[in-house]
């Protein structure tokens, strides 16, 4: 989990710096994801350096990631309220389609994993000999 945490921190920094560089007149708030990423990455690195603190640091990283979800959602809601109706509906449609497809993808992958595990259990723990994997 620490390596995934570090990767998330790096990803947030790349998103922040990349969108800042691509904007015509970027606001200072474009660097907030980079700050969040730095904090999350620090939790990941800290848990590798101090394994005895891993539990606390991973919980802190999860708390920061939760803020990384809640704050943008609040921002999106405010953004939608301030838009004209057609623009707001377009954004809502895009977000809902993305969430629906993302949720489907998540459950499909979970189903594939469950089917594979069931197949392996039924074959006595041997990998499938069909060569599909």
């Amino acid at each position: 989990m620490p390596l995934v945490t570090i990767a998330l921190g790096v990803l947030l920094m790349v998103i922040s710096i990349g969108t800042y560089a691509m904007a015509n007149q970027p606001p200072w708030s474009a660097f907030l994801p980079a700050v969040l990423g730095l904090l999350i990455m620090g939790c990941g690195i800290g848990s590798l350096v101090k394994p005895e603190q891993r539990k606390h640091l991973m919980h802190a990283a999860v708390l920061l990631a939760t803020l990384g979800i809640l704050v943008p959602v609040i921002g999106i809601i405010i953004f939608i309220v301030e838009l004209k109706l057609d623009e707001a509906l377009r954004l809502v449609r895009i977000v809902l389609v993305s969430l629906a497809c993302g949720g489907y993808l998540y459950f499909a992958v979970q189903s594939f994993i469950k089917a594979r595990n069931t197949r392996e259990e039924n074959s006595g723990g041997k990998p499938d000999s069909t060569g599909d994997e």
Side-chain angles (χ1 to χ4, degrees):
M1 197 66 189
L3 295 178
V4 174
T5 304
I6 293 168
L8 173 62
V10 170
L11 177 63
L12 291 172
M13 288 188 282
V14 167
I15 290 169
S16 180
I17 294 167
T19 56
Y20 181 87
M22 292 180 353
N24 291 333
Q25 295 178 337
W28 66 269
S29 60
F31 286 116
L32 291 177
V35 172
L36 180 64
L38 188 62
L39 292 170
I40 290 174
M41 188 176 71
C43 289
I45 292 170
S47 69
L48 290 175
V49 173
K50 298 257 186 194
E52 66 277 4
Q53 295 296 320
R54 179 170 293 167
K55 181 172 117 173
H56 301 298
L57 291 166
M58 289 296 100
H59 280 88
V62 168
L63 176 64
L64 290 167
T66 302
L67 290 174
I69 293 169
L70 293 177
V71 171
V73 166
I74 292 168
I76 289 171
I77 291 169
I78 292 169
F79 183 72
I80 290 171
V81 168
E82 292 176 352
L83 286 175
K84 295 178 185 169
L85 180 62
D86 288 343
E87 295 168 334
L89 290 175
R90 179 174 177 238
L91 180 61
V92 167
R93 182 177 58 248
I94 290 167
V95 169
L96 290 177
V97 167
S98 297
L99 289 174
C101 289
Y104 173 78
L105 181 62
Y106 171 79
F107 286 112
V109 169
Q110 294 303 313
S111 174
F112 296 160
I113 291 169
K114 183 178 179 183
R116 180 179 181 180
N117 290 339
T118 301
R119 189 176 62 243
E120 287 179 358
E121 286 174 8
N122 291 339
S123 67
K126 297 178 204 167
D128 193 5
S129 61
T130 61
D132 291 341
E133 298 175 21

